[in-house]
Structure formats: C-alpha cells, structure tokens
Amino acid sequence: MTKLVYFAWVRERIGKSEENVSLPAGIETLADLLSWLRGRGEEYESALLRPEVIRVAIDKEHVGHGDAIGGAREIALFPPMTGG
Amino acid sequence: MTAAPVPVIRIQAEDFDVAAEIARLTEGNADVGAVVTFTGLCRDEGGRLAALELEHYPGMAEAEICRIAAEAMRRWPLLGLTAIHRHGMIPPGDDIVLVVAASTHRQAAFEAASFLMDFLKSRAPFWKKEHRADGFEGSWVDAREADDQAALRWRRR
C-alpha cells in the first residue's frame, strides 16, 4: 500500500486529506500515477484537471512528474506553494 | 574558529519575538557585525480580507526549509541563520514569517536572507487561503510567476 496525501485545493477537490491505495501494475512514474488517479472519479478529475500544475513530493522531498515512484511510502500532491 | 552554526528552523502556530530571535544569534558571539531580519506580514488587501489561513505539510515544511537553509550556509559565511514560519489563521497585521541572518559583514547577511525567502516562497510546502471580510467563501492564493523568477536569479552561472 502507498499513502497518498493531498493539500490545499487538491485536498478540497478530492474531498479527503489522505488515503492508502494499492497501485496497479504499470504505474511507474508520478505522471502515470496522476493519470491513473484522474480515472478514479469526478472529484479526482476536478482536482487533477491540469496535471502540469500539480506539484509532487515523495517521502517529503520534491520530485518531478517523470520521476519513478520506486519504493515510495508517502506521495504528496499539492498546488504550487504560496507561503512566505 | 568554531564549528559552523546549525540553522534554527521552526514551524509554529504562535507568533514570534523578533528581538528575542536576534538576541539568540548575537549573544555571546562578538564576531557578528551584521544582522538582517525579514518579517512577512498578513495584508488586508484594502479591507477585503479578514484573515489568511496558512496550511502546511507537517514534516516536509521543516525538512524543505532545512534544505534551503543548509544551502545558504554553504554559499555564505554565516554566523547564524533562523527561519520561523507560522501556520493556522493569521489576521491582517500579524506576522507570518521571519528570517534572521547573521554574519561578520553585511553582504552575506543581506544576500542569505533574500535567498532563503526566495526559495522558501517557491519550495516550502505552505498554502494561503483567503478568508474574506464580507463573509463570502474565500479562495486559495495563486502562486506568482514573479516568485519563481526571484528564485531563478540565484542560479549559479
């Protein structure tokens, strides 16, 4: 199982802050994960409508969409950051 | 020559005391000849906002600011570096973020404080949601292209 965590408007649109999922075979990169998630329902489709703006972190470090999921324990999806 | 100081990074709901944070870096360290502080505050946007709600990714917020601070320590000869970022509901006029950089001469402290803020804005996992004064549902603040550009200027040529 892989833990997915969501923040800000990604969290609001999906309607939950985290969930555990079993990734199907063939999901190798973050881009694969995003496109698989979009097919899981309207709320995911609405959160991930423009996947290119979604930022991703694996085990609390920024990664790119083309990076491999590997042995990730926790994958976070969130909008561009607006702190400071 | 003492060992390089360890940056102080705190993510907290409560406010901070700027004078106390400066004193933490200067007391007992007479090599410090320059301290630069940056404080970011919540604006009311012309009366439109009742508050900003700061959401963060616990664990990653600290880790990411630590990574940025470690890079600043490598780039400049700093004698101390502190970053404090608040989360939760913050009304206009209240503090959001503090950076304190101490060095022997001013340039390192100025540049390191600016560097830390530029990267913190584009890489530290915090998100601002507006709470409107008129009671209507507020929206999430959009990231600014200018903030990404500000971080790019530190790229080494």
Side-chain angles (χ1 to χ4, degrees), chain B residues 23-116:
Chain B
R24 183 198 300 278
L25 300 191
T26 56
E27 275 174 9
N29 192 346
D31 287 339
V32 173
V35 175
V36 168
T37 70
F38 171 83
T39 308
L41 300 94
C42 177
R43 293 183 300 266
D44 76 353
E45 303 289 1
R48 195 169 57 79
L49 293 192
L52 281 175
E53 184 176 359
L54 270 290
E55 179 170 333
H56 75 298
Y57 183 177
M60 183 173 169
E62 292 88 339
E64 191 60 29
I65 298 176
C66 280
R67 287 189 276 270
I68 300 166
E71 176 63 18
M73 298 296 296
R74 280 191 290 273
R75 285 194 181 205
W76 290 279
L78 300 175
L79 297 172
L81 185 60
T82 298
I84 302 173
H85 203 302
R86 296 180 65 199
H87 60 80
M89 204 66 85
I90 299 185
D94 275 24
D95 300 325
I96 297 175
V97 63
L98 174 69
V99 168
V100 187
S103 55
T104 305
H105 301 290
R106 70 183 183 283
Q107 191 182 4
F110 270 128
E111 290 184 2
S114 186
F115 171 90
L116 199 71

